[in-house]
């Protein structure tokens, strides 16, 4: 029997999705990237873990942006054909970033450990065939 105390309602899920979209576009705005539209059909989420949006910018560039219970980040759409591929790309990117900062300050070492954990989690989601079945 499934416990309902950890279950998230449809209303909570929709609220979470809206918040993640706002987080993603705010993150991009802080990077100087202004979005024009979202490709809803190619964007995906797994509440409350991650949301990956395929966005078009005002410069007509397409980008993937990830948000959720992990750092906001983005890549050019050419780096990944699908949401699933974008998870693998973010995972590898974060592993490399973690290696580059791991030996510096204590704070950066802690963040590197956090990044590695999130990268490994994303890769497990990427490998989970059940998540990517159509229908």
């Amino acid at each position: 029997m499934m416990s309902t105390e950890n279950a998230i309602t449809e209303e909570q899920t929709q609220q979470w999705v809206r918040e993640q979209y706002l987080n993603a576009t705010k993150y991009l705005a802080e990077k100087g990237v202004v979005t024009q539209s979202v490709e809803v059909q190619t964007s995906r989420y797994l509440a409350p873990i991650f949301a990956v949006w395929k966005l078009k910018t005002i410069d007509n560039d397409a980008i993937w942006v990830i948000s959720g219970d992990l750092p906001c980040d983005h890549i050019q759409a050419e780096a990944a054909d699908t949401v699933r591929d974008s998870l693998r790309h973010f995972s590898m990117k974060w592993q490399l970033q973690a290696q580059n900062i791991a030996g510096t300050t204590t704070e950066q070492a802690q963040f590197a450990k956090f990044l590695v954990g999130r990268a490994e989690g994303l890769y497990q989601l990427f490998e989970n065939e059940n998540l990517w079945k159509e229908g």
Side-chain angles (χ1 to χ4, degrees), residues 4-117:
T4 56
E5 63 188 65
N6 290 332
I8 181 169
T9 67
E10 183 62 27
E11 184 178 323
Q12 289 170 321
T13 298
Q14 292 308 313
Q15 177 64 29
W16 182 86
V17 169
R18 281 189 297 274
E19 288 172 8
Q20 294 315 308
Y21 180 74
L22 291 174
N23 289 345
T25 55
K26 179 182 175 192
Y27 159 82
L28 290 173
E30 290 170 355
K31 302 284 184 194
V33 178
V34 180
T35 58
Q36 176 179 308
S37 62
V38 61
E39 291 185 24
V40 176
Q41 69 279 9
T42 54
S43 300
R44 297 285 183 271
Y45 63 87
L46 182 60
I49 301 169
F50 76 87
V52 178
W53 310 97
K54 189 171 188 182
L55 302 172
K56 184 162 279 195
T57 69
I58 60 169
D59 297 331
N60 240 8
D61 289 331
I63 56 174
W64 294 106
V65 64
I66 191 168
S67 62
D69 185 26
L70 36 76
C72 281
D73 201 355
H74 73 286
I75 57 174
Q76 293 299 313
E78 298 83 40
D81 292 332
T82 65
V83 170
R84 187 177 186 183
D85 290 340
S86 78
L87 292 184
R88 179 178 52 200
H89 190 91
F90 284 119
S91 175
M92 291 178 189
K93 180 181 177 186
W94 293 351
Q95 292 275 5
L96 290 172
Q97 286 176 332
Q99 287 176 3
N100 290 335
I101 64 172
T104 52
T105 68
T106 302
E107 186 176 303
Q108 287 177 317
Q110 288 174 335
F111 184 68
K113 186 176 179 181
F114 171 77
L115 262 185
V116 167

